[in-house]
Amino acid sequence: MTKSYRQGQILKLIRGSNISTQEDLAQALKAVGVDATQVTLSRDIREIGLVKTPEGYRALSARERPEDFASLASEFLRDVRLAQNQIVLRTAPGHASSVAVALDNADWPEVVGTLAGDDTVLVICPDAAVAVTVRARLLDMLG
């Protein structure tokens, strides 16, 4: 089984039913003969560009995808808070996943990784000093 096959099955499943969690997705994939770990599913969700909505995961159309992180952040980012080496981003409801994916794709070297919920993104930096710099950069985007 290839990555493109697995990702195709994911798209087929989310278009055909309401899948709200990675666990639900893993079970649905298993039912069609595709085994995938949580780490693999997280990567696939990010690469495919899925967003989590109240109705479950869905793929963004090309028209819905912003050109870059800055444009997406200016539209959906609501608050930026510092917590040691981590930054908590608050977004409009349902947009945390797309903000996190855009930040991941922006390849900011000072960002180790992101975790997203419905309206909250956790941005992890290597240390507190770097987090202060990233926070300032993010606040500039808010205007």
Side-chain angles (χ1 to χ4, degrees), residues 119-139:
D119 65 353
T120 305
V121 178
L122 177 65
V123 179
I124 303 168
C125 299
D127 59 52
V130 171
V132 169
T133 303
V134 171
R135 179 179 181 264
R137 189 171 172 189
L138 291 164
L139 286 172

Side-chain angles (χ1 to χ4, degrees), residues 52-69:
K52 197 171 186 178
T53 70
E55 294 80 32
Y57 285 108
R58 75 174 182 89
L60 288 176
S61 68
R63 182 179 54 83
E64 293 175 302
R65 291 185 189 188
E67 295 163 12
D68 59 17
F69 174 70

Side-chain angles (χ1 to χ4, degrees), residues 12-23:
K12 183 178 175 183
L13 288 167
I14 65 158
R15 288 180 184 138
S17 60
N18 292 343
I19 296 179
S20 299
T21 66
Q22 288 185 13
E23 184 177 329

Side-chain angles (χ1 to χ4, degrees), residues 52-134:
K52 197 171 186 178
T53 70
E55 294 80 32
Y57 285 108
R58 75 174 182 89
L60 288 176
S61 68
R63 182 179 54 83
E64 293 175 302
R65 291 185 189 188
E67 295 163 12
D68 59 17
F69 174 70
S71 63
L72 196 127
S74 68
E75 184 173 352
F76 299 118
L77 195 57
R78 301 289 182 256
D79 190 26
V80 179
R81 295 185 183 182
L82 187 62
Q84 295 185 355
N85 71 313
Q86 302 169 2
I87 302 163
V88 177
L89 306 179
R90 297 300 301 236
T91 69
H95 292 284
S97 181
S98 56
V99 168
V101 168
L103 182 54
D104 289 340
N105 291 337
D107 288 328
W108 288 15
E110 59 269 44
V111 173
V112 175
T114 62
L115 295 171
D118 179 63
D119 65 353
T120 305
V121 178
L122 177 65
V123 179
I124 303 168
C125 299
D127 59 52
V130 171
V132 169
T133 303
V134 171

